Amino acid sequence: MLSRNFLIYDAYMQTGPLCGSLRRLGTSYSKADQAVDEAFFQGFSASARRNTRFIEEQKKLSHSLEQLDEERIKQVISAIFDELQDEPVYSMTIQLIVSEMLHMAGMSWKRYFPHASIEDNDLVPARSGIARLEIVSELKLWLQDYYARMVQAIKKQHTGGSYSRPISKAVQFITEHYASNISLDITAEALNLNPSYLSRRFKEETQMTFTEYLNRVRINTSCMLMQSGTYSLKEVSDQVGFLNYTYFFKVFKSITGMTPQAYMDGLKKSNK
């Protein structure tokens, strides 16, 4: 919830036709009551449409977070709040949306750092900053900055490790481009390194070949996508960069010890 924790209720008021006598009071009241019902359900329908739209954008935001795609995250946040410009920042609609978005950010952080709180990271702005915001456009910019700095912190801490500068850059390149058709040669060229040198140093420092490391990143991300319950296995395979569906099954089982379908079935059982 936002720091201003107000309870906001919509009030609906209507008037019936003027009554020339008490005998017409019942009819006037009935028409006013009907008008209130119509206004309420129109408001309810608009709220339902907003909620449905937010659920759709929430799925996109979750996927962008899993991809650590800063630009896409910024676009999705804009899409969410551009439709809410006329809402006061303390409205229940805004409070619920922001609360869910901060919860999603925290859950994403926990996937990478299970034992560290996002609040303890100096690169991510303190959530108390929300209390100073007065309008929705300011809230949108704050959340875009919050998510961007969180993603940057994840990339920095998750890929840095104790590696040398060339290998740290290679690991970061994998983190940012694993969903595309990358390879050792493509990475070496992008970083202006000799492929043989990169291959040797990568194995020495990570204890894995370039392809082994790339596949682990892809499989870890595929598990996150499956946990969201939004995608089919074929969609998961495509989104993490596997060009061959059968190869995805083979790599997944070699790393996790089970097939993707078995992993998906286990998630369904645990959610019951």
Side-chain angles (χ1 to χ4, degrees):
M1 291 287 182
L2 297 178
S3 296
R4 302 168 186 173
N5 198 11
F6 299 117
L7 290 175
I8 305 299
Y9 295 92
D10 290 331
Y12 296 91
M13 182 184 300
Q14 296 289 342
T15 58
L18 292 175
C19 303
S21 66
L22 290 177
R23 286 182 302 174
R24 301 181 63 183
L25 182 61
T27 301
S28 178
Y29 176 83
S30 295
K31 290 185 177 181
D33 186 52
Q34 181 180 355
V36 167
D37 286 343
E38 291 174 354
F40 170 79
F41 284 111
Q42 286 176 358
F44 181 83
S45 177
S47 177
R49 286 195 298 272
R50 285 198 301 269
N51 289 340
T52 300
R53 177 60 185 267
F54 175 62
I55 291 172
E56 294 172 355
E57 297 298 337
Q58 184 182 22
K59 292 178 181 178
K60 296 177 183 177
L61 182 59
S62 177
H63 179 244
S64 300
L65 265 176
E66 288 153 359
Q67 303 280 353
L68 298 179
D69 188 338
E70 293 178 52
E71 185 58 35
R72 182 58 179 153
I73 288 171
K74 182 178 180 180
Q75 292 171 0
V76 174
I77 293 175
S78 285
I80 291 172
F81 286 97
D82 285 349
E83 293 189 2
L84 301 169
Q85 291 296 324
D86 297 330
E87 290 272 354
V89 293
Y90 52 79
S91 72
M92 185 59 70
T93 297
I94 296 294
Q95 287 193 47
L96 291 174
I97 287 176
V98 173
S99 177
E100 180 60 26
M101 290 179 69
L102 292 177
H103 175 71
M104 288 175 63
M107 293 299 292
S108 179
W109 183 268
K110 284 292 184 183
R111 291 191 186 108
Y112 292 94
F113 312 109
H115 306 296
S117 170
I118 191 172
E119 295 294 318
D120 297 333
N121 191 284
D122 294 336
L123 296 176
V124 181
R127 296 184 180 186
S128 59
I130 295 178
R132 299 190 297 270
L133 305 178
E134 299 289 340
I135 55 178
V136 170
S137 59
E138 292 178 347
L139 182 59
K140 177 183 74 173
L141 292 175
W142 188 93
L143 282 164
Q144 287 176 332
D145 180 60
Y146 183 87
Y147 268 77
R149 290 167 67 175
M150 182 193 74
V151 169
Q152 290 165 13
I154 288 174
K155 288 180 178 179
K156 181 178 180 180
Q157 295 190 31
H158 187 60
T159 63
S162 57
Y163 304 139
S164 64
R165 184 175 178 81
I167 302 308
S168 291
K169 285 187 174 182
V171 168
Q172 183 172 349
F173 188 85
I174 291 174
T175 303
E176 294 176 349
H177 301 281
Y178 68 87
S180 60
N181 185 27
I182 65 171
S183 64
L184 174 70
D185 288 343
I186 290 173
T187 304
E189 182 177 359
L191 302 178
N192 197 27
L193 296 171
N194 179 277
S196 297
Y197 168 81
L198 176 60
S199 177
R200 177 176 57 80
R201 288 294 299 273
F202 199 96
K203 180 65 180 293
E204 288 175 354
E205 296 189 31
T206 68
Q207 307 304 307
M208 285 181 274
T209 67
F210 180 91
T211 300
E212 287 171 343
Y213 191 98
L214 172 62
N215 282 339
R216 284 190 176 275
V217 171
R218 286 173 167 170
I219 296 305
N220 287 341
T221 306
S222 73
C223 290
M224 295 180 193
L225 291 173
M226 285 185 233
Q227 289 166 15
S228 71
T230 306
Y231 309 98
S232 69
L233 290 179
K234 183 62 171 65
E235 289 172 329
V236 169
S237 174
D238 292 340
Q239 291 188 34
V240 297
F242 285 101
L243 301 179
N244 185 291
Y245 189 45
T246 302
Y247 183 58
F248 166 63
F249 265 63
K250 179 181 178 181
V251 174
F252 192 99
K253 186 173 182 180
S254 69
I255 291 176
T256 67
M258 63 180 74
T259 66
Q261 187 61 59
Y263 184 84
M264 186 84 84
D265 293 342
L267 290 174
K268 292 177 181 178
K269 290 179 181 178
S270 63
N271 290 330
K272 288 184 178 180

